[in-house]
């Protein structure tokens, strides 16, 4: 089967309103511009690349269509040398729900290295973006990807994807993501935990064993200390500013919702109480110079207080999404440490 490359820009295009062309209502410089007529522009700040990888890395990658009608697809990574069944990491990329792609070069490089070092299969899901597709579309796309995965596990004898199917341990699946992707992974896990009787049956024979959240993208109306005081200090070390965070949430949340919506703030009044959740074993990776640091730490503390199995690792001196967006020597060192931590977590959850 020949490798394919999915155009991440594919989607429905509608006629534009001439009177509103050029009238900008929301913008994050260099990343996204939303016009009054609804037209969205996303400059190619990060190049999209094909699934090709250098042979010496020891990882094979290929793009596979999940649902062509709505352009959901995934990039798979499979180590070439290890034998036997391998755990599967279902990965969701970041980008504030509004930008990003499984084809972005930074994710392609990071996930290829993660697959090689952790000896795991990886399914990197490309989901639909806001504001054209506000939440909960990204969550629904994530669940559709799991249902598609279930179908592959059930019909594995069909043979079209044997290059990875034959090596996948469908009883050891982990939901993983960074930033907005970590938010997706968490919300999928709460859906499974809160409606376990129905959802677990609908996903059989898949078994979700744990969750890995890298700098999870949460928010809230009340500012935390790291949001108020670290924003300026970390501006040169972190990819996420407070203004950008607020803009992402305005574009991603349903009309009329604020940042205390449960999808944004899992600890807000009205959210599902963590005490009532059968939360899966969870690893949370936090960046010291990230405006989200306090929210991430508070989230871990609430889970621990509720008696949930949560591990928290703080990476010093680096900012938001350092593992994919920074090439400094410190970031490379911390990325190596993070990959090792993920490998250790996955290997211990049997």
């Amino acid at each position: 089967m020949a490798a394919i490359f999915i155009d991440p820009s594919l989607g429905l295009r509608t006629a534009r309103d001439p009177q509103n062309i050029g009238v900008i209502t929301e913008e994050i410089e260099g990343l996204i511009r939303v016009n009054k007529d609804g037209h969205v522009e996303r400059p190619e700040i990060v190049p999209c690349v094909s699934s090709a990888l250098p042979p010496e890395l020891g990882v094979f990658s290929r793009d596979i269509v999940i649902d062509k009608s709505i352009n959901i697809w995934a990039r798979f990574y499979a180590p070439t040398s290890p034998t036997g069944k391998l755990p599967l990491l279902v990965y969701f990329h970041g980008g504030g729900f509004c930008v990003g792609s499984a084809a972005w070069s930074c994710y392609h490089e990071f996930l290829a290295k993660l697959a090689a070092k952790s000896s795991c299969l990886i399914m990197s899901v490309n989901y639909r973006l806001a504001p054209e597709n506000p939440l909960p579309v990204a969550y629904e796309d994530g669940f559709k990807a799991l249902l598609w995965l279930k179908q592959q596990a059930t019909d594995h004898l069909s043979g079209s994807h044997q290059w990875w199917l034959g090596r996948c341990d469908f009883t050891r699946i982990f939901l993983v993501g960074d930033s907005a992707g970590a938010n997706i992974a968490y919300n999928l896990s709460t859906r499974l935990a809160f409606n376990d009787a129905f959802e677990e049956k609908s996903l059989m024979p898949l078994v979700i064993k744990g969750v890995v959240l890298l700098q999870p993208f949460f928010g809230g109306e009340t500012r935390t200390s790291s949001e108020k005081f670290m924003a300026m200090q970390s501006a040169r070390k972190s990819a996420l500013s407070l203004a950008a965070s607020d803009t992402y949430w305005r574009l991603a949340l349903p009309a009329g919702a604020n940042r205390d919506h449960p999808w944004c703030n899992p600890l807000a009044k009205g959210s599902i109480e963590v005490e009532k959740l059968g939360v899966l074993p969870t690893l949370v990776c936090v960046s010291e110079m990230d405006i989200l640091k306090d929210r991430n730490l508070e989230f871990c503390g609430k889970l621990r207080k509720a008696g949930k199995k949560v591990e928290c690792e703080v990476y010093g001196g680096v900012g938001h999404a350092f593992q994919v967006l920074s090439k400094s020597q410190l970031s490379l060192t911390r990325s190596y440490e993070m990959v090792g931590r993920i490998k250790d977590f996955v290997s211990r959850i049997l």
Side-chain angles (χ1 to χ4, degrees):
M1 177 180 173
I4 59 173
F5 176 56
I6 313 294
D7 180 358
S9 68
L10 289 177
L12 297 177
R13 292 176 172 86
T14 57
R16 301 188 62 185
D17 179 357
Q19 292 185 341
N20 291 320
I21 292 176
V23 181
I24 300 171
T25 57
E26 294 280 8
E27 181 177 15
I28 301 175
E29 187 175 357
L31 286 167
I32 188 169
R33 182 183 297 115
V34 182
N35 289 269
K36 191 174 181 181
D37 69 344
H39 178 70
V40 180
E41 301 171 49
R42 295 181 176 88
E44 193 176 315
I45 191 170
V46 179
C48 289
V49 297
S50 74
S51 61
L53 288 169
E56 58 269 23
L57 189 60
V59 176
F60 181 72
S61 177
R62 180 177 290 168
D63 295 339
I64 298 177
V65 175
I66 294 175
D67 190 331
K68 186 176 181 179
S69 67
I70 51 177
N71 194 33
I72 304 176
W73 56 277
R75 179 162 293 181
F76 279 78
Y77 300 84
T80 55
S81 54
T83 58
K85 300 286 187 178
L86 301 177
L88 173 65
L89 311 184
V90 180
Y91 194 95
F92 300 95
H93 67 78
F97 301 104
C98 299
V99 299
S101 169
W104 268 13
S105 59
C106 57
Y107 282 108
H108 189 52
E109 294 168 7
F110 173 68
L111 293 179
K113 292 176 183 177
L114 179 59
K117 299 294 184 182
S118 66
S119 295
C120 290
L121 298 167
I122 298 177
M123 173 186 176
S124 178
V125 180
N126 201 76
Y127 53 90
R128 288 173 289 174
L129 301 175
E132 302 96 323
N133 302 284
L135 294 175
V137 170
Y139 304 146
E140 295 301 327
D141 287 357
F143 195 70
K144 286 177 184 176
L146 293 179
L147 290 175
W148 177 88
L149 194 61
K150 168 199 170 175
Q151 191 64 40
Q152 305 311 304
T154 304
D155 299 340
H156 65 279
L157 294 179
S158 62
S160 60
H161 304 310
Q162 275 302 315
W163 63 275
W164 69 272
L165 276 172
R167 306 181 59 198
C168 184
D169 184 351
F170 289 101
T171 66
R172 294 188 66 203
I173 295 176
F174 293 79
L175 302 177
V176 189
D178 69 286
S179 193
N183 181 297
I184 294 171
Y186 171 72
N187 275 282
L188 282 176
S189 71
T190 60
R191 173 173 176 171
L192 295 173
F194 199 65
N195 303 300
D196 55 348
F198 171 75
E199 302 291 13
E200 283 188 19
K201 185 177 180 180
S202 70
L203 288 179
M204 290 178 60
L206 307 185
V207 179
I208 313 298
K209 300 293 289 188
V211 185
V212 179
L213 309 178
L214 312 181
Q215 306 116 354
F217 186 44
F218 297 137
E221 287 296 306
T222 301
R223 301 300 192 190
T224 65
S225 294
S226 61
E227 287 173 340
K228 288 188 290 187
F229 303 120
M230 194 182 295
M232 292 302 297
Q233 297 175 21
S234 64
R236 289 174 293 179
K237 292 188 177 182
S238 187
L240 182 67
S241 69
L242 188 58
S245 175
D246 289 351
T247 301
Y248 282 137
W249 282 118
R250 284 195 300 272
L251 295 174
L253 286 170
N258 65 21
R259 293 190 305 274
D260 280 334
H261 190 286
W263 293 335
C264 177
N265 188 353
L267 304 182
K269 185 178 180 180
S271 300
I272 299 173
E273 296 178 16
V274 293
E275 292 83 357
K276 297 179 180 178
L277 290 175
V279 176
L280 294 163
T282 301
L283 169 65
V284 182
C285 294
V286 182
S287 295
E288 182 189 23
M289 305 304 292
D290 190 354
I291 63 167
L292 300 178
K293 182 187 75 170
D294 288 352
R295 291 197 183 279
N296 291 174
L297 293 176
E298 183 185 10
F299 172 76
C300 292
K302 288 283 187 179
L303 290 179
R304 283 202 187 105
K305 189 175 181 180
K308 310 303 178 182
K309 296 180 180 178
V310 59
E311 302 175 24
C312 182
E313 193 78 30
V314 179
Y315 293 87
V318 288
H320 190 75
F322 69 89
Q323 71 280 0
V324 290
L325 295 180
S326 176
K327 296 294 185 181
S328 72
Q329 187 55 54
L330 179 59
S331 293
L332 294 175
T333 300
R334 295 288 184 260
S335 295
Y336 182 82
E337 294 169 356
M338 176 183 283
V339 167
R341 189 69 174 83
I342 295 170
K343 177 182 179 179
D344 173 70
F345 177 78
V346 170
S347 67
R348 288 187 286 105
I349 307 299
L350 302 175

